[in-house]
Amino acid sequence: MADTSDFKNGLCIEYNHDLFTIVEFQHVKPGKGPAFVRTKLKSLTTGKVLDNTFTSGHKVTTARIERRSHQFLYKDDIGMHFMDTENFEQISIPDEVIDNVDLYKEGQEVDILIHAETEKPLSCELPPFVEMKVIYTEPGIKGDTATNATKPATVETGAEIKVPLFIDQDELIKVDTRTRSYAERVKK
């Protein structure tokens, strides 16, 4: 159990028969009336974000969430399949609960959040940056690099990323998985 003074970003709590992580919180002490805590909670099972207000001192049940390293194996009609890098057990997670499904490539290391009491996988997180090979993009025009113009490029997993005009086909680029944007060209 914890109360509102223990709130911090990333804390996982059980609320309304669901698991939530605290995305944002703010302690408010109005001039009149009791203090309260305004929070933004993200559901770990559905991904929905909701605003909620707790009175100061309100008790909540904390949930134990573990972050385990897994390797992405493949995707099929059941979902996405991963292998635990320590004990080699395989688990599958439906695509609906995973963000940026088209940025996963086989053999990639990811972190999976697992509810410790039930051993249920909740969500999957890519590393902040991944390296991808550009398999198709329109050729750049010489001398067209002075502006911040971008063009669409298809990477090896099928995702479409906006890249600068100087990026050519078969080049390696670094993609920011949080914003789905081009970060830099990978030096060979």
Side-chain angles (χ1 to χ4, degrees):
M1 292 293 276
D3 66 4
T4 55
S5 65
D6 299 323
F7 281 6
K8 61 183 179 222
N9 290 346
L11 179 71
C12 295
I13 62 171
E14 293 177 17
Y15 178 71
N16 280 353
H17 310 294
D18 198 0
L19 292 173
F20 289 91
T21 183
I22 297 176
V23 177
E24 197 176 294
F25 71 99
Q26 178 184 19
H27 287 278
V28 179
K29 174 68 177 114
K32 208 176 196 181
F36 60 89
V37 179
R38 189 176 292 133
T39 61
K40 202 171 269 221
L41 304 171
K42 180 178 181 183
S43 171
L44 290 174
T45 54
T46 63
K48 292 182 180 174
V49 177
L50 62 99
D51 295 319
N52 193 39
T53 303
F54 295 99
T55 57
S56 189
H58 182 83
K59 298 259 188 238
V60 292
T61 306
T62 56
R64 208 173 90 227
I65 306 296
E66 294 178 357
R67 181 181 299 269
R68 296 184 191 159
S69 180
H70 283 70
Q71 182 181 28
F72 174 61
L73 297 175
Y74 62 94
K75 178 183 185 294
D76 62 12
D77 54 346
I78 297 171
M80 300 182 75
H81 299 268
F82 300 91
M83 178 183 67
D84 192 322
T85 55
E86 291 177 14
N87 59 17
F88 307 110
E89 287 182 6
Q90 291 187 20
I91 61 170
S92 64
I93 302 176
D95 315 16
E96 299 85 45
V97 297
I98 298 177
D99 294 332
N100 297 323
V101 173
D102 57 348
L103 290 180
Y104 285 77
K105 71 180 175 183
E106 293 177 6
Q108 191 169 38
E109 294 286 321
V110 297
D111 284 337
I112 295 183
L113 298 178
I114 296 178
H115 188 236
E117 283 91 40
T118 61
E119 287 294 317
K120 180 183 176 204
L122 300 170
S123 69
C124 187
E125 294 178 358
L126 278 167
F129 296 97
V130 293
E131 291 182 6
M132 298 279 184
K133 182 179 180 181
V134 175
I135 57 168
Y136 176 76
T137 188
E138 296 291 327
I141 300 167
K142 193 161 184 82
D144 207 3
T145 57
T147 63
N148 280 342
T150 59
K151 61 183 179 180
T154 305
V155 293
E156 61 189 296
T157 59
E160 194 169 284
I161 306 292
K162 297 278 188 192
V163 297
L165 298 175
F166 59 83
I167 297 294
D168 292 323
Q169 196 165 316
D170 296 328
E171 282 194 68
L172 276 178
I173 61 170
K174 209 178 253 190
V175 177
D176 187 334
T177 59
R178 299 161 293 195
T179 59
R180 293 181 58 89
S181 62
Y182 167 84
E184 65 182 3
R185 185 189 302 184
V186 176
K187 311 283 189 283
K188 293 177 183 166

